[in-house]
Amino acid sequence: MISVKEAKDILSRNCEKGRISEFKLEQSLGKILAEDIHSPMDVPSFDNSAMDGYAMQFHEKYRHWKVSGLVQAGDTESIEVGPGEAVRIFTGAKMPKGADTVIQQELIDKQGNNSIYYNSGKITTGSNVRLKGSQCKKGEKILQKGARITPGIIGLLASVGVSKVAIFTPPLVGCVVTGNELKEVGEQLMDGEIYNSNGPMLEALLKKTGVGEITALRAQDDKNELQQTINKALAENDVLLLSGGISVGDYDFVKECLESAGVKELFYKIKQRPGKPFYAGKKEEKWVFALPGNPASVLSCFNQYVQPCLKTIMGEEQVWQPDLELTLSEETRKKPGFTFFMKGKKEDGKVTLLTGQQSFNLQAFSTADCLVELDEEMAVVPKGTMVKVYNL
Ligand code: AMP
Ligand code: MG
């Protein structure tokens, strides 16, 4: 049996960024950019007005102009403005040739039909003009590889005319839930049966992590059926997750079937609670994680091991650190020799361990917002101890 740290070291050593592929801008939200982006154009691509007002060649001495034309946002023809002339202009409209300044309409007095007057002293040459290339020049680096695509970044990329980006491809994940005792939500339970809660929870965890297509599969505790399901799921996905059947019971066939499918074990069993019989393996570039069936083990093993690996494949860095460190609000006792991952709630800069931590009990899942790591060697963890906290 290995320690939590050893398990994480093995995974981080073996896990690399995944394939890169091109994604349409509208499909890139939340994903990680796999290349630097250089702007293919000057933005703005033409000098334009930042205000509704009048454009002219400005000179301190002149206060009166004759209005000689009009230009609206989207007009593509070039108009010219001569000395002593001004052109009516609107926000975003192309600056007329010969004009270098816009006076906003609030500072203008109209005199008759075609004549304007200005006397506020607020304007200098170049006021209210957005110059060509002032956001970025053609060829300038506007985004760094490794950036997570946000709605703002989508806006930026669209503004420079980029419609496709190179992304670390989210992996296809097959999710096999094992157990004769399981029925799907909506089905009738017989005495001795339970609802499959790991399946929907794992799917939600995978979606939240941002993976590609998820294929949900079910297998009975039957070696042949399980073998076929595993072989198919491995062939069709980049990552295979299993729930249940990885412990030492007579009907726990997962490990055996993975070996028969050609999966090479990285480790099996970690000195931790919950989730001791957690298995990680690889078949060439494909990843396999077998999680013990207890729902608390599933949540904890996914959070601690599966999610960081998936994030690495999807191009994220620094995935193995805790999200934060907080002080424990109350003393707690634990069995030494095992790292504990307890469901917790963050409050006022402290973290409280919730009641109902048994591995079958899902009630605390409703209020937990984090997992708290309690060190392997500790037996009593005093109130006020700094503990590692992982967001759920
Ligand atoms: P196993 O790891 O298969 O021995 O399962 C351990 C415990 O988790 C047993 O009490 C199972 O009934 C329960 N369990 C296994 N799979 C699921 C599941 N998909 N949803 C809810 N509980 C499960
Ligand atoms: Mg089972």
Side-chain angles (χ1 to χ4, degrees), residues 103 172 191 200 215 222 231 238 241-242 259 287 290-291 298 321-322 358 376 379 386:
I103 305 178
L172 307 181
D191 206 17
T215 307
D222 171 282
N231 292 352
D238 305 308
L241 295 189
L242 295 115
E259 269 157 31
W287 277 93
L291 306 118
V298 169
Q321 292 92 329
Q358 310 94 319
E376 185 182 316
M386 268 290 192

Side-chain angles (χ1 to χ4, degrees), residues 1-248:
M1 227 181 339
I2 59 173
S3 69
V4 167
K5 183 176 179 311
E6 285 165 327
K8 289 184 178 180
D9 284 347
I10 292 171
L11 292 178
S12 68
R13 270 205 309 277
N14 282 280
C15 197
E16 288 172 1
K17 292 190 173 94
R19 290 189 309 272
I20 294 171
S21 52
E22 220 168 50
F23 276 72
K24 286 185 186 161
L25 202 51
E26 60 269 30
Q27 292 166 342
S28 68
L29 181 64
K31 299 185 173 74
I32 307 254
L33 200 58
E35 61 177 5
D36 292 340
I37 304 259
H38 299 265
S39 178
M41 59 190 271
D42 286 341
V43 177
S45 55
F46 53 92
D47 294 346
N48 68 90
S49 176
M51 290 283 180
D52 296 323
Y54 295 84
M56 72 285 290
Q57 191 180 66
F58 188 74
H59 197 288
E60 280 298 330
K61 284 193 291 199
Y62 302 129
R63 295 287 176 223
H64 290 271
W65 293 271
K66 187 170 144 288
V67 180
S68 61
L70 180 149
V71 58
Q72 197 183 341
D75 286 352
T76 54
E77 289 145 44
S78 283
I79 62 168
E80 231 178 300
V81 58
E85 289 178 349
V87 161
R88 181 77 170 116
I89 196 164
F90 300 93
T91 308
K94 196 162 75 152
M95 287 294 284
K97 252 197 188 148
D100 55 19
T101 305
V102 171
I103 305 178
Q104 59 266 50
Q105 63 194 44
E106 294 83 345
L107 301 181
I108 291 284
D109 287 323
K110 280 193 188 160
Q111 297 182 324
N113 273 349
N114 274 331
S115 190
I116 59 168
Y117 174 72
Y118 151 81
N119 198 19
S120 89
K122 289 182 182 166
I123 296 292
T124 54
T125 300
S127 288
N128 302 318
V129 180
R130 304 164 174 161
L131 292 175
K132 176 178 171 169
S134 57
Q135 177 186 306
C136 64
K137 298 264 191 296
K138 182 176 175 173
E140 196 177 317
K141 193 205 271 191
I142 55 165
L143 275 174
Q144 186 112 16
K145 175 180 168 170
R148 181 183 294 285
I149 310 274
T150 59
I153 286 180
I154 290 184
L156 169 66
L157 290 169
S159 81
V160 301
V162 168
S163 63
K164 289 181 192 152
V165 280
I167 293 290
F168 290 105
T169 319
L172 307 181
V173 183
C175 198
V176 178
V177 167
T178 72
N180 287 357
E181 72 276 35
L182 304 174
K183 282 276 170 71
E184 295 303 319
V185 174
E187 289 176 352
Q188 186 68 41
L189 284 187
M190 306 283 279
D191 206 17
E193 295 179 331
I194 60 168
Y195 285 122
N196 166 23
S197 57
N198 289 344
M201 181 167 71
L202 273 171
E203 228 174 292
L205 288 164
L206 289 164
K207 279 185 189 155
K208 199 175 169 195
T209 311
V211 301
E213 206 174 307
I214 303 162
T215 307
L217 298 159
R218 280 277 308 274
Q220 297 295 105
D221 294 316
D222 171 282
K223 213 189 288 183
N224 289 335
E225 186 194 334
L226 184 62
Q227 188 71 63
Q228 282 178 21
T229 311
I230 285 177
N231 292 352
K232 187 167 154 48
L234 250 183
E236 292 173 356
N237 294 283
D238 305 308
V239 176
L240 173 60
L241 295 189
L242 295 115
S243 130
I246 189 65
S247 197
V248 292

Side-chain angles (χ1 to χ4, degrees), residues 233-293:
L234 250 183
E236 292 173 356
N237 294 283
D238 305 308
V239 176
L240 173 60
L241 295 189
L242 295 115
S243 130
I246 189 65
S247 197
V248 292
D250 289 353
Y251 302 98
D252 292 337
F253 299 123
V254 167
K255 192 163 175 291
E256 203 180 320
C257 289
L258 289 174
E259 269 157 31
S260 302
V263 178
K264 299 271 173 290
E265 177 186 317
L266 287 171
F267 59 77
Y268 174 52
K269 291 191 177 167
I270 305 177
K271 285 184 264 175
Q272 64 176 4
R273 287 203 175 162
K276 183 175 82 171
F278 174 65
Y279 170 103
K282 282 191 92 175
K283 185 179 180 182
E284 286 128 30
E285 295 309 302
K286 297 181 186 232
W287 277 93
V288 179
F289 301 100
L291 306 118

